[in-house]
Amino acid sequence: MGITLDLRNARAADVHVGRSALAELMSVLHILAEPDHHPEAQRWTRQLGTTFDDSLANEMSALSPLWARLRCRLLFPLALPLDQTFKGELRQLEKLPLDEFVDLCAQGVLGFREAVPSARLLLDDKEAARCFVTQCERRSFRRGALAHDLMASPEDVRARLIDFLDRCGGAFFAAEWRALHDRLEAAVVRFRTEVTRKGLAEVLAGLSPTAVVAGDGSHVRYDKLAIAEIEIGPRQLFLLPSVHVWPHLTIKDERSYPVVLQFAAPEVRAPEQLTLRQLHARLSVLASPGRMELCRHLLGEPITTSELAKRLGLDDTQVSRTLRQLREAGLIESEREGRYVYHRLATSTLLRLGQDVLATIMR
């Protein structure tokens, strides 16, 4: 599984790096819609929740299918230029032809990579509209309700969405965007500099620990649930640094629009992002009852190999082999003092393991 970017025909003019206030707001709304998936942001989201009145909170819930899972392409930049103001992006959304709005919104409402009938069919054929609503209802009640509203009056849904986003700006996001604006500008400058120095493929691969460069540097593959190969050039690629997208790396590939890749700005990424192989190694090591028992002895004061062997009733060679496996997985720390090497459990790594599992699954 995975998404591969084919860069063989990519030119500098096809790749654009910039900021999007609307895309950043969507990342914030995603965290608010899925707070259990973002334990690192729970204190911040609780504080943010105090700024909402009931009307805003209710509309946030009703429209949440657009950002809860497959963040809707509608809320990413649809065309150049990037770095528009928040109000400018809302005006673009307001001016979007109705067919395009319905096409993108319907896919977002469904929130899954399934075929959605064209806007013309949905708007002109009552049976197609009814089947689409049923399809969304199977996903969730909220998706079904929003699909019903979209089929009944797409312009009303557009007006509701723009009004809601504008109210978010007034309630909390305008201040947040002012705080983030310069930080994201620094990320844009850094990305451009690194592309000049290292090349596009290497920099794109550096955005995720799951990325692999293949094809003599002409392809970059990301480990994702979706399976796709996307050609860049002459089709454009929009690269959007974000503060709130972590731990996700979001790739949008709606065919009539530029490809979008939203990535965590370097300063907000975790200090250590595990690859799937590293995570598997740590979990596999802990799956053994014998190694788990040894870990219990390593939790207190540092201890030598011979002392561990004595406590466990094992020979030194067997204990050394187990310690090596734990060390290679990053789960113990060893330090020489004089003639002896003392071992102890890397408790901070273990405490972070649950979050590492969640972050790796969500990438």
Side-chain angles (χ1 to χ4, degrees), residues 138-311:
R138 292 194 185 105
R139 296 272 290 118
S140 74
F141 173 81
R142 284 178 186 166
R143 293 187 187 279
L146 188 54
H148 179 273
D149 291 346
L150 181 64
M151 296 299 95
S153 180
E155 284 292 13
D156 284 351
V157 170
R158 183 190 341 223
R160 280 174 56 195
L161 176 61
I162 293 172
D163 177 67
F164 166 75
L165 296 170
D166 191 41
R167 289 165 62 199
C168 285
F172 66 90
F173 185 69
E176 180 71 5
W177 184 243
R178 284 193 297 272
L180 301 182
H181 189 272
D182 290 346
R183 293 168 62 187
L184 291 177
E185 173 60 19
V188 169
V189 172
R190 176 174 175 173
F191 187 95
R192 289 172 177 157
T193 301
E194 289 188 346
V195 168
T196 301
R197 187 163 56 92
K198 300 178 181 178
L200 181 60
E202 185 177 341
V203 177
L204 288 175
L207 300 179
S208 170
T210 70
V212 176
V213 179
D216 297 325
S218 61
H219 293 73
V220 178
R221 179 183 175 277
Y222 298 98
D223 183 69
K224 307 289 283 183
L225 280 177
I227 300 174
E229 182 156 334
I230 306 169
E231 293 184 13
I232 307 300
R235 190 178 177 199
Q236 295 173 321
L237 172 64
F238 290 174
L239 294 155
L240 308 177
S242 168
V243 168
H244 293 294
V245 74
W246 190 88
H248 304 287
L249 181 136
T250 301
I251 302 173
K252 303 302 293 183
D253 179 33
E254 280 71 6
R255 287 292 176 187
S256 300
Y257 300 93
V259 179
V260 168
L261 194 158
Q262 188 184 34
F263 61 94
E267 65 185 83
V268 298
R269 295 178 206 162
E272 179 189 19
Q273 295 187 79
L274 298 184
T275 65
L276 287 173
R277 181 172 294 181
Q278 289 171 322
L279 180 63
H280 182 266
R282 288 184 181 179
L283 295 177
S284 296
V285 164
L286 294 173
S288 161
R291 287 191 288 265
M292 184 67 81
E293 178 66 19
L294 189 146
C295 285
R296 297 178 68 186
H297 288 278
L298 292 167
L299 186 58
E301 63 182 354
I303 188 170
T304 64
T305 302
S306 56
E307 177 64 22
L308 272 172
K310 180 180 177 181
R311 290 186 186 183

Side-chain angles (χ1 to χ4, degrees), residues 26 29-30 33 60 63-69 71 75 161 164:
M26 181 163 52
L29 294 171
H30 170 78
M60 186 180 297
L63 295 169
S64 64
L66 296 176
W67 43 77
R69 180 168 166 76
R71 271 148 284 193
L75 303 182
L161 176 61
F164 166 75

Side-chain angles (χ1 to χ4, degrees), residues 26-48:
M26 181 163 52
S27 293
V28 173
L29 294 171
H30 170 78
I31 294 172
L32 292 169
E34 304 282 359
D36 292 343
H37 295 179
H38 296 269
E40 79 290 344
Q42 285 184 359
R43 178 180 296 179
W44 178 73
T45 55
R46 283 195 297 269
Q47 294 173 343
L48 200 59

Side-chain angles (χ1 to χ4, degrees), residues 9-36:
N9 297 317
R11 305 164 303 158
D14 300 320
V15 181
H16 303 273
V17 191
R19 294 160 295 185
S20 169
L22 189 54
E24 192 68 20
L25 173 56
M26 181 163 52
S27 293
V28 173
L29 294 171
H30 170 78
I31 294 172
L32 292 169
E34 304 282 359
D36 292 343

Side-chain angles (χ1 to χ4, degrees), residues 16 33 57 59 89 92 95 118 133 145 154 241 257-258 275 280 290 296 325 341 351:
H16 303 273
E59 194 71 320
E89 290 187 286
Q92 292 293 325
K95 295 175 182 177
S118 69
V133 172
Y257 300 93
T275 65
H280 182 266
R296 297 178 68 186
Q325 292 169 330
V341 176
L351 285 170

